[in-house]
Amino acid sequence: MIKALRINGGEMGTPLRVLIVEDSIEDAALILDRLKASGYDPFSRRIDTERAMNIALDQESWDVVISDFILPGFSGLAALKLIQARELDLPFIIVSGKIGEETAVEIMRAGANDYMMKDNLTRLSPAVERELREAVIRRNHKQAEKMIKYIAYNDLLTSLPNRVLLHDLVKKVLLDRAAEGKPIALLLLDLDHFKEINDTLGHPYGDVILQQVGHRLSEAVGEEDSVARLGGDEFAVLLAKVTSKEDSLLVANKILKALEVPFIIEEIPIAVEASIGISVYPDHGADFDSLLQRADVAMYVAKKTGSGCALYSPELNTHSERRLALMGELRQAIDHDELVLYYQPKIDLRTGRIIGAEALVRWEHPRHGRIAPDQFIGPAEQTGLIKPLTQWVLNQALRQGRMWGEIGFRIPMAVNLSARNLLEHRLPEAIEQLLQQYGTAPEWLQLEITESAILAEPARVLENATALDRIGTGLSIDDFGTGYSSLAYLKKLPVDEIKIDKSFIIGMKENRDDEVIVRSTIDLAHNLGLKIVAEGVETKETWDQLVALGCDAAQGYYMARPLAPDLFIDWLKRSPWGFKKDEAG
Ligand code: C2E
Ligand code: CA
Ligand code: CA
């Protein structure tokens, strides 16, 4: 590209953009002929008023102005002033019929570069020749400078901004957004197995794919967002108008979706996958470098776990090795049924009988043994693996529920949803489909969502919750009391049950404050027409206390721990809380 800009003033056919200030068409033609005869290929415009000159200067760029000295209603000096007012570095050459020595000096003093005589237009003077040559050189320099600047800030393969320009863009957006106190997100995208693609198809085709990837990325993001290529198969996206972390995850998923369509190379469809790491200002960093570094950490996690995209979180940086290894295995664990569900009964506090079961997931790891959900639910949320995990849990719980129903133990089933599940667009449809698959009526499925999930993105959660309510499943607020959900908002949600967090129940007998919280939560729930469940009931004392407070249902070690399916059936058959017939007497 640089080669095309070779400086070539004065060679045959050198393009020259000439603005001619001249009222005589013949004279203008004469000037052009002269330029052609001197080896130029002039592109010209002839004007003869101040207005036209202003327009010509505003709309186009010129290499030289050749101006008549006296025109009706305009003059060479006036034309020169227009150029000077604009501070244009444009050679100005005066042409005149009869120009006296004095006038010539006056014009040169005013700033004209040279002059030509009308009656001597058969040849350009050496001075004018030099002037034109220099004008061309100057123009070529300017173009080269522009090109050098372009190369410094852009990636030539994809024409996208490069790292340097991205850095500037982030800096600029940060200034704007920081003042408004709003977030921005940086997405780092790396193609998976691109080296193999390059090796099999050859570099030229690899380049074509990179160009197409760049194109799809640009299409997938908004007008204010910027896509950059950082090098190799690494791209970055600056989201300048995100509203939240969840928002950035949505965009990341949209990008992954856009890349799902195979690329066509020589009529052969080529699948290209990518991993995206996300960091968000201000939570993860306040400048380009730290945001990029964190997006990189998250990208690495996404790659290792095969989850597609991951949002940065500080835990990913620290003791991440074991976690990363675990996350890498979780995908397989889901596919290979290493997960198991335990079931914990919910008991009616008035009748003392089972009214439901909560499915709680565990991971039977081939080497590490049983892993508690606390160890992998959080990371699964960050890496996006929570989606297939929840799908697995719902599937398994509904299948189990149907099996128990078939042997005479019909029990409503509760399943935990995570915050991120509630942001999925297709969650209600997926659940409806599973219910159909297992022939389960929706009221036999209760979904538990934590308070914190509701707070993350109230609007979307409300949308999904409403859709689920329409389908007919029950909805519980889990761990109530640990978040800060407002009563006003709770009223808007189609919730039918509140579960008081176990920390309050366990603390109740020793701590007066906890008792007050439990008592008022029960009253609050009842006032809203909601059922209230106490979790973490470990003793008979607590059970009695809850009965006295008018709580509806309880869950806890006192009645049963979460149990593996066989043990749960045993418990159902033998326990007085279960299906055991009352013994007479
Ligand atoms: P959670 O939904 O609040 O579940 C109740 C937790 O309290 C369970 O812990 C249960 O074993 C424990 N628990 C029950 N009764 C008592 C008691 O009397 N005393 C005490 N101290 N604890 C009791 P677990 O099974 O370790 O689950 C922990 C959390 O992991 C769950 O809290 C839930 O938030 C999450 N989780 C479990 N399974 C799933 C799942 O399938 N999906 C999602 N998204 N989250 C899950
Ligand atoms: Ca729960
Ligand atoms: Ca809970």
Side-chain angles (χ1 to χ4, degrees):
M1 259 169 178
I2 290 274
K3 219 157 141 203
L5 294 172
R6 197 157 40 94
I7 290 160
N8 56 355
E11 281 174 21
M12 281 303 284
T14 304
L16 189 71
R17 290 160 306 179
V18 195
L19 182 60
I20 302 179
V21 186
E22 174 66 79
D23 58 318
S24 149
I25 297 173
E26 294 78 30
D27 286 356
L30 219 58
I31 293 171
L32 288 178
D33 283 348
R34 197 74 298 282
L35 290 173
K36 281 179 197 149
S38 300
Y40 291 97
D41 175 17
F43 164 82
S44 71
R45 184 179 303 287
R46 184 186 64 84
I47 50 109
D48 55 9
T49 65
E50 177 162 347
R51 205 180 105 77
M53 173 129 182
N54 273 323
I55 293 172
L57 291 177
D58 286 343
Q59 294 182 345
E60 278 157 283
S61 60
W62 303 99
D63 297 324
V64 61
V65 179
I66 300 181
S67 173
D68 195 0
F69 184 55
I70 301 160
L71 303 86
F74 197 33
S75 76
L77 271 174
L80 180 59
K81 290 234 168 66
L82 289 184
I83 288 171
Q84 289 167 339
R86 280 184 167 73
E87 293 180 11
L88 290 174
D89 181 18
L90 253 185
F92 189 93
I93 294 165
I94 282 283
V95 191
S96 188
K98 20 191 184 316
I99 193 166
E101 195 72 26
E102 257 166 64
T103 330
V105 170
E106 186 196 337
I107 295 168
M108 300 295 277
R109 261 215 198 106
N113 298 65
D114 224 316
Y115 67 87
M116 294 155 70
M117 301 302 245
K118 253 187 198 169
D119 42 18
N120 191 17
L121 273 179
T122 45
R123 254 191 66 235
L124 290 182
S125 76
V128 169
E129 286 261 29
R130 194 185 58 239
E131 211 60 69
L132 293 179
R133 231 177 7 250
E134 279 172 5
V136 169
I137 290 172
R138 248 195 321 269
R139 177 194 68 204
N140 287 343
H141 263 144
K142 266 193 211 139
Q143 277 181 358
E145 249 166 43
K146 225 164 137 187
M147 190 43 114
I148 286 163
K149 205 165 155 198
Y150 182 83
I151 293 166
Y153 286 106
N154 292 272
D155 166 51
L156 292 182
L157 180 65
T158 59
S159 308
L160 292 171
N162 65 10
R163 183 187 293 260
V164 180
L165 181 51
L166 180 71
H167 186 295
D168 288 359
L169 289 168
V170 169
K171 214 160 128 186
K172 197 178 154 298
V173 171
L174 275 177
L175 276 177
D176 296 350
R177 298 287 275 183
E180 296 171 27
K182 291 189 180 140
I184 73 162
L186 191 63
L187 275 55
L188 187 65
L189 178 144
D190 193 281
L191 302 181
D192 300 339
H193 318 296
F194 187 69
K195 196 182 166 309
E196 286 163 35
I197 293 177
N198 241 344
D199 289 349
T200 10
L201 296 178
H203 282 265
Y205 285 132
D207 285 354
V208 172
I209 289 188
L210 290 173
Q211 284 169 334
Q212 292 186 14
V213 167
H215 186 70
R216 286 200 196 171
L217 292 181
S218 306
E219 299 266 278
V221 303
E223 293 255 318
E224 299 92 354
D225 304 328
S226 314
V227 176
R229 177 168 174 240
L230 302 186
D233 58 350
E234 210 175 54
F235 293 81
V237 180
L238 162 64
L239 301 180
K241 288 262 155 90
V242 281
T243 52
S244 64
K245 291 181 191 151
E246 286 72 24
D247 203 18
S248 65
L249 279 166
L250 290 178
V251 179
N253 280 312
K254 193 171 161 210
I255 290 173
L256 291 175
K257 193 128 216 120
L259 294 178
E260 269 173 17
V261 184
F263 293 83
I264 308 291
I265 296 289
E266 300 264 288
E267 290 175 20
I268 299 169
I270 309 284
V272 174
E273 289 183 353
S275 302
I276 301 179
I278 309 170
S279 64
V280 176
Y281 164 88
D283 291 14
H284 305 148
D287 58 45
F288 176 72
D289 289 332
S290 49
L291 286 171
L292 190 65
Q293 188 263 330
R294 281 159 182 198
D296 193 53
V297 170
M299 197 272 290
Y300 180 70
V301 172
K303 198 149 265 212
K304 267 224 138 157
T305 59
S307 64
C309 68
L311 184 63
Y312 175 79
S313 90
E315 295 98 76
L316 296 180
N317 241 352
T318 54
H319 58 274
S320 57
E321 268 315 304
R322 184 185 136 93
R323 269 183 118 113
L324 267 183
L326 268 187
M327 283 307 100
E329 291 167 330
L330 183 56
R331 162 112 266 160
Q332 290 237 322
I334 297 169
D335 297 340
H336 296 154
D337 279 346
E338 281 176 27
L339 301 183
V340 291
L341 289 186
Y342 275 44
Y343 298 89
Q344 187 178 37
K346 278 187 199 174
I347 315 289
D348 188 312
L349 275 161
R350 275 173 293 269
T351 65
R353 289 288 187 172
I354 182 167
I355 51 161
E358 178 178 2
L360 293 158
V361 70
R362 276 102 185 81
W363 180 357
E364 303 284 359
H365 192 283
R367 277 172 293 115
H368 303 303
R370 175 164 324 143
I371 305 177
D374 299 335
Q375 298 288 308
F376 60 89
I377 293 289
E381 286 182 357
Q382 280 150 13
T383 55
L385 284 175
I386 193 69
K387 194 174 168 179
L389 186 144
T390 304
Q391 189 73 18
W392 184 92
V393 170
L394 280 164
N395 200 59
Q396 185 66 18
L398 288 173
R399 178 187 302 164
Q400 188 63 267
R402 185 175 71 178
M403 267 159 60
W404 287 336
E406 283 164 2
I407 56 169
F409 301 110
R410 255 197 120 186
I411 321 157
M413 188 64 80
V415 168
N416 292 283
L417 294 183
S418 93
R420 211 163 148 180
N421 293 134
L422 285 157
L423 298 176
E424 292 165 21
H425 277 291
R426 311 194 46 80
L427 178 79
E429 284 107 302
I431 288 178
E432 194 169 24
Q433 207 185 328
L434 275 175
L435 287 169
Q436 268 164 17
Q437 185 185 331
Y438 288 104
T440 306
E443 58 273 21
W444 291 85
L445 179 64
Q446 186 81 21
L447 299 167
E448 300 191 0
I449 59 178
T450 63
E451 251 193 303
S452 52
I454 298 165
L455 296 172
E457 185 129 351
R460 175 66 60 74
V461 171
L462 181 61
E463 203 176 292
N464 266 338
T466 311
L468 287 168
D469 185 51
R470 217 174 288 134
I471 291 168
T473 63
L475 206 62
S476 312
I477 305 292
D478 208 349
D479 302 342
F480 188 81
T482 56
Y484 303 92
S485 36
S486 74
L487 187 54
Y489 183 70
L490 265 189
K491 270 161 109 175
K492 277 203 245 169
L493 280 178
V495 170
D496 46 60
E497 183 182 273
I498 286 182
K499 300 183 78 175
I500 315 177
D501 190 63
K502 57 177 175 284
S503 59
F504 302 108
I505 305 297
I506 293 168
M508 200 166 54
K509 56 179 180 292
E510 269 131 42
N511 192 329
R512 267 289 299 162
D513 289 351
D514 283 347
E515 207 217 303
V516 172
I517 291 171
V518 172
R519 184 192 295 272
S520 51
T521 308
I522 293 172
D523 291 345
L524 163 92
H526 285 161
N527 281 336
L528 289 170
L530 305 175
K531 227 177 81 179
I532 185 125
V533 180
E535 52 179 30
V537 178
E538 294 183 343
T539 61
K540 170 144 179 29
E541 209 183 329
T542 309
W543 171 279
D544 291 339
Q545 221 173 336
L546 288 165
V547 172
L549 290 173
C551 188
D552 300 301
Q555 208 179 328
Y557 295 171
Y558 174 55
M559 296 82 79
R561 290 184 170 259
L563 299 165
D566 320 356
L567 289 175
F568 185 78
I569 279 291
D570 272 359
W571 181 92
L572 279 181
K573 289 177 182 163
R574 287 166 212 267
S575 166
W577 317 98
F579 282 74
K580 188 181 172 218
K581 293 273 174 322
D582 279 335
E583 271 138 49

